[in-house]
Amino acid sequence: MSGLGAQGPGWIAAHLPGEGAVTLGARETLPPQLAQGSLMAEFTLPPETRGPLTLVDLTGHGRAGQDLVIGLDAEGHLQLVQRQGRAFHALSIDIGAALTTGGRMRLTWSWDAPQGESLLTLEAVDRGTLRQRAGRAPLPVGREILRALANGTATGPERVAGTRLAPCLDWLAFGDHRQPVGPGACFAPTTPIETPQGPRPAGSLRAGDLVETADAGAQRVLWSGRVALPALGSLRPVRLCPPTFGETRDLWLLPQHRVALSGPTLEYLLGKEEVLIAARHLIDGCTALQPARPAVLNWQGLLLEGHHLLIADGCRIESLYAGRLARQAPLAATTALADLARTGSLPEHGAPVRPVLSAFEAEILAAQRTQGRGPVAA
């Protein structure tokens, strides 16, 4: 995965069902406890799921008898409960609407015990919707809980403790940082982005720099930032290969980031000249691949005042789409765009710069592409 800036700032370890613990960072041993950190997990639910459903059940770990339980109750709430002796911390989110349609879910819990701050977020991955609940007075997470999270089983002196991970859990990872959620990450930092002075690596661009766009000429960068994410589940990178995508090099995108497509087949099938399609819908095992290699990867985001088409080695890819995030101040404050939100500089983006293909339309297009009659990347 050359050019992705693979490293592990913050992330420590992950658990993959069937594989067990995977080291993500440079730590050789787990810390005694994490007073501040993040836990991220993905799971898949069938439509009309009904609780109760336990996702993570870690009870009686360590000498102090620490508990961490995450799951759905019978009323459609996602609940997180921590216990240690008489100390207790809990968060709950009503996710009834998300349970109706089901699908892939990503849970992120960030805590800071010294600051007394706790935040639970649930994202419906395929729809890109977020629900959050903030709380107070979280407890530090001890080594015994961390070890059980990584291994998926209790080991050593803690082997009699309760440890249960639900079969629907696709993966989980944890680190010693507070992970931003929502928009902020797009493509590899080495992605060549066209500017009025020629191509530059995305990671070298700063706020105030000019970039060329395919739809509106030169535009000023409002925000440039980087987010580190575990390359697991729906966060596994997509590798777009030349010459179908780009002219000279592989392009690495997050699966949900969108590419512009055009061509006669597109017009014939869907009656549209140019569309945006998520990179995950382009995976065909030939021109677009999705390697499975657990790691932590850095992703660069470029936000412009409007939503536009950047030019990356001749391939048209979207700039960061902020939507109506500026209208949701509490949510915006938990994203990588928090500084813009705090100063009132976060723009609102209306409709995307090009029509976005639905999953059904993407399937139709994919079938044509695999037969060699598909459109090319714009």
Side-chain angles (χ1 to χ4, degrees):
M1 298 182 185
S2 175
L4 276 171
Q7 57 179 321
W11 295 104
I12 297 173
H15 174 78
L16 303 181
E19 299 183 34
V22 176
T23 300
L24 295 178
R27 291 178 183 264
E28 295 184 0
T29 60
L30 293 173
Q33 68 174 21
L34 290 183
Q36 172 183 278
S38 291
L39 170 66
M40 183 180 287
E42 287 190 354
F43 54 98
T44 305
L45 298 176
E48 304 295 343
T49 296
R50 294 288 184 267
L53 172 64
T54 301
L55 298 170
V56 174
D57 185 356
L58 309 180
T59 56
H61 286 264
R63 294 181 180 179
Q66 300 176 62
D67 297 348
L68 175 63
V69 180
I70 305 172
L72 307 175
D73 66 13
E75 285 71 44
H77 295 86
L78 176 68
Q79 295 187 329
L80 180 146
V81 177
Q82 271 186 299
R83 292 188 183 90
Q84 183 173 334
R86 295 185 177 181
F88 176 89
H89 174 65
L91 286 171
S92 178
I93 306 176
D94 182 355
I95 63 167
L99 296 179
T100 299
T101 53
R104 292 181 298 172
M105 307 287 171
R106 184 184 306 126
L107 173 156
T108 305
W109 174 46
S110 296
W111 69 92
D112 189 330
Q115 296 296 322
E117 298 175 351
S118 180
L119 181 69
L120 183 63
T121 303
L122 185 73
E123 179 180 2
V125 174
D126 296 325
R127 296 186 301 281
T129 57
L130 291 174
R131 289 180 176 270
Q132 282 187 333
R133 176 60 62 88
R136 300 293 301 172
L139 308 176
V141 177
R143 176 184 287 156
E144 296 82 4
I145 290 287
L146 299 176
R147 184 181 295 123
L149 284 170
N151 292 326
T153 58
T155 59
E158 298 80 36
R159 62 183 178 276
V160 297
T163 302
R164 182 158 60 96
L165 303 180
C168 66
L169 195 69
D170 300 319
W171 62 271
L172 62 80
F174 58 84
D176 59 4
H177 64 299
R178 298 181 68 176
Q179 180 70 23
V181 298
C186 301
F187 30 73
T190 55
T191 303
I193 301 297
E194 197 64 41
T195 77
Q197 291 75 40
R200 288 178 54 184
S204 73
L205 293 167
R206 298 292 180 264
D209 290 345
L210 289 175
V211 293
E212 289 288 354
T213 69
D215 60 294
Q219 297 291 316
R220 198 168 300 280
V221 174
L222 187 61
W223 176 88
S224 177
R226 195 167 295 185
V227 178
L229 293 168
L232 301 170
S234 69
L235 298 176
R236 285 168 52 197
V238 176
R239 172 188 172 191
L240 302 181
C241 305
T244 303
F245 303 99
E247 297 172 351
T248 64
R249 65 179 70 194
D250 292 338
L251 298 175
W252 295 86
L253 306 180
L254 274 173
Q256 74 273 14
H257 201 67
R258 296 177 296 211
V259 178
L261 294 183
S262 62
T265 302
L266 182 68
E267 294 186 53
Y268 174 75
L269 288 175
L270 303 175
K272 299 173 182 177
E273 293 184 2
E274 189 171 44
V275 298
L276 290 175
I277 182 171
R280 67 176 182 268
H281 294 311
L282 296 171
I283 298 168
D284 59 6
C286 181
T287 64
L289 311 173
Q290 192 173 38
R293 191 181 307 170
V296 174
L297 303 177
N298 281 330
W299 298 98
Q300 192 74 24
L302 294 178
L303 180 73
L304 311 181
E305 187 65 37
H307 186 232
H308 297 290
L309 295 179
L310 301 169
I311 305 169
D313 194 40
C315 182
R316 300 183 182 191
I317 58 177
E318 65 172 341
S319 61
L320 186 60
Y321 181 69
R324 305 297 187 186
L325 181 63
R327 299 185 182 184
Q328 306 175 63
L331 173 58
T334 67
T335 71
L337 304 174
D339 288 343
L340 288 181
R342 195 175 299 115
T343 59
S345 305
L346 181 60
E348 287 191 26
H349 292 162
V353 63
R354 295 289 186 267
V356 177
L357 288 192
S358 67
F360 176 71
E361 290 173 322
E363 289 177 4
I364 295 175
L365 204 56
Q368 292 296 315
R369 291 183 65 245
T370 56
Q371 297 175 27
R373 300 196 300 272
V376 297

